[in-house]
Amino acid sequence: MSRTKAEIFDDLVLDTVEGLERQYSKELAGVEFAVEDVPPDLNVYDSDVLEDGSVPLARLLPGRPGRHGVPPRIVVYRRPLEFRAGDRDDLAELVRDVVVEQVANLLGMSPDDIQ
């Protein structure tokens, strides 16, 4: 069966997230992960955005705790990452690096400390 680029990308993100959730199940409980094709058109990006130059690659929305709070959310932007990857292996590595960096930011850790 032929898979679209979007489906392949979604699988790469899912594989990375599942691996991290096995290791950090308690810390990542309730965290939402999402993929969007392109970043929203914003004039200024805050520190919650992982950028390459001025192009956003991912965004961490820390959420609002509480009874009716909004859960933390990590959004990965597909097209900017695909553009930077030479092939599928490069894309898988880039996706992993970006997701790990955002999870590290959320957990207050160094990306180097996350396996």
Side-chain angles (χ1 to χ4, degrees):
M1 239 169 116
S2 181
R3 304 202 25 94
T4 67
K5 285 184 177 185
E7 290 170 332
I8 291 168
F9 189 88
D10 289 348
D11 287 345
L12 293 173
V13 172
L14 185 60
D15 290 346
T16 299
V17 169
E18 286 175 345
L20 291 170
E21 285 178 334
R22 280 192 294 275
Q23 187 174 0
Y24 299 98
S25 59
K26 182 178 177 185
E27 295 87 347
L28 295 178
V31 175
E32 295 179 351
F33 292 86
V35 172
E36 292 182 10
D37 284 339
V38 295
D41 189 20
L42 299 175
N43 293 333
V44 176
Y45 292 105
D46 293 325
S47 61
D48 63 344
V49 176
L50 178 62
E51 296 177 316
D52 178 14
S54 62
V55 178
L57 305 177
R59 184 172 191 183
L60 166 62
L61 302 164
R64 286 173 269 163
R67 185 171 173 193
H68 298 289
V70 176
R73 185 172 208 214
I74 294 174
V75 181
V76 181
Y77 301 118
R78 180 177 66 87
R79 298 288 304 270
L81 291 173
E82 286 177 338
F83 182 74
R84 282 157 180 75
D87 59 26
R88 187 173 174 175
D89 291 337
D90 287 345
L91 183 59
E93 186 175 327
L94 187 55
V95 164
R96 176 163 172 57
D97 289 348
V98 166
V99 172
V100 164
E101 185 156 341
Q102 293 299 73
V103 166
N105 287 341
L106 178 66
L107 301 180
M109 300 172 68
S110 167
D112 295 334
D113 294 335
I114 294 181
Q115 304 291 334

